[in-house]
């Protein structure tokens, strides 16, 4: 007779991820329902500059629309970071505790950076322009987060993630970030030239140094 050996079937728990994705989708639905006209202009951001022209005042920075989309951005980016570490063999993609840690660290980093920007802008007397500059960055990065959400969802439930896919997404994200800076620099070039020294200090302190330290910590650990 043939001896049969039974092995327990291990089923990964992905229910928490589905729930988080539904929350993110709910934020998008609320943003569209509560700010329909603005949302319609926002989704056409890649082909039209109408949104950036209408909503360029700093008063829009802390609007409910931006808060909802920043939450979506945090969720999608946290998932993608976890997927990258999973692909590199460091973590499990179904580790919900790790997701909470990544989400929390991202949220603390972004909001701490925002508060420090406000303080430095106040000290240098350039609050209005820095807030508009920050609004430009938030606009493009939340747009990036909106595009990244379905991509992260598909990658999370896929068992076949290739280097090409991962690196392509990373390159796209970096390209969007660079375009954000170039567009913002072009819009505020007159002000930047008049406050060039202060702007360079701001750029080095808050736009270069934090990301360098994050890169250093990740590569060393």
């Amino acid at each position: 007779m043939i001896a049969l050996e039974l092995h327990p079937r291990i089923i990964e728990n992905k229910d928490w991820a589905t729930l988080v994705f539904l929350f993110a989708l709910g934020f998008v639905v609320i943003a569209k329902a509560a700010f329909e006209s603005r949302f319609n202009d926002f989704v056409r951001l890649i082909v039209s500059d109408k949104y950036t022209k209408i909503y360029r005042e700093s008063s829009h920075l802390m609007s409910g629309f931006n808060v909802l989309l920043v939450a979506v951005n945090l969720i999608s980016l946290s998932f993608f970071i976890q997927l990258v570490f999973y692909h590199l063999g460091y973590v499990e993609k179904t580790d919900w505790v790790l997701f909470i840690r990544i989400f929390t660290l991202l949220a603390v980093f972004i909001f701490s950076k925002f508060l420090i920007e406000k303080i430095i802008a106040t000290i240098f007397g350039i609050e209005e322009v820095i807030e508009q500059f920050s609004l430009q960055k938030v606009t493009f990065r939340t747009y990036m987060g909106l595009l990244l959400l379905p991509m992260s969802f598909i990658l999370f439930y896929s068992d076949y993630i290739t280097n090409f896919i991962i690196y392509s997404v990373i390159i796209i994200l970096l390209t969007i970030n660079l375009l954000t800076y170039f567009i913002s620099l072009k819009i505020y070039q007159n002000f930047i030239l008049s406050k060039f020294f202060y702007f360079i200090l701001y750029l080095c302190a808050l736009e270069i140094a934090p990301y360098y330290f994050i890169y250093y910590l990740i590569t060393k650990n």
Side-chain angles (χ1 to χ4, degrees), residues 15-32 67-76 79 99 103 146 149 153 157:
D15 293 343
W16 67 269
T18 303
L19 186 62
V20 173
F21 277 120
L22 288 175
F23 267 112
L25 184 60
F27 291 148
V28 175
V29 172
I30 293 172
K32 178 172 174 55
V67 170
L68 288 168
L69 292 186
V70 165
V72 174
N73 185 35
L74 285 171
I75 291 172
S76 57
F79 264 114
F99 172 80
F103 180 89
L146 194 62
L149 183 64
F153 181 83
Y157 287 98

Side-chain angles (χ1 to χ4, degrees), residues 60-190:
H60 294 291
L61 183 60
M62 297 301 295
S63 66
F65 181 82
N66 276 338
V67 170
L68 288 168
L69 292 186
V70 165
V72 174
N73 185 35
L74 285 171
I75 291 172
S76 57
L77 192 55
S78 298
F79 264 114
F80 182 71
I81 291 173
Q82 185 160 339
L83 287 170
V84 171
F85 284 124
Y86 164 74
H87 180 70
L88 295 175
Y90 295 127
V91 301
E92 292 296 328
K93 68 178 179 181
T94 54
D95 187 347
W96 62 272
V97 175
L98 178 63
F99 172 80
I100 293 175
R101 289 176 178 174
I102 295 173
F103 180 89
T104 303
L105 285 172
L106 273 178
V108 170
F109 172 76
I110 289 173
F111 291 117
S112 298
K113 186 169 175 290
F114 174 73
L115 290 175
I116 295 172
E117 284 180 357
K118 293 275 289 184
I119 294 170
I120 292 179
T122 302
I123 293 172
F124 292 158
I126 52 176
E127 304 99 314
E128 183 65 24
V129 174
I130 291 301
E131 286 183 358
Q132 291 179 0
F133 185 69
S134 297
L135 179 60
Q136 289 282 330
K137 291 188 297 180
V138 168
T139 297
F140 283 95
R141 288 175 184 176
T142 51
Y143 189 81
M144 175 187 70
L146 194 62
L147 296 178
L148 188 61
L149 183 64
M151 195 177 304
S152 296
F153 181 83
I154 293 170
L155 291 175
F156 184 85
Y157 287 98
S158 173
D159 294 325
Y160 303 99
I161 305 176
T162 64
N163 288 335
F164 175 78
I165 294 174
I166 291 294
Y167 293 135
S168 295
V169 175
I170 291 174
I171 290 172
I172 291 172
L173 297 181
L174 292 175
T175 301
I176 292 175
N177 274 285
L178 287 174
L179 286 175
T180 301
Y181 282 108
F182 287 135
I183 292 173
S184 299
L185 291 174
K186 183 179 180 181
I187 292 174
Y188 302 109
Q189 60 183 341
N190 292 332

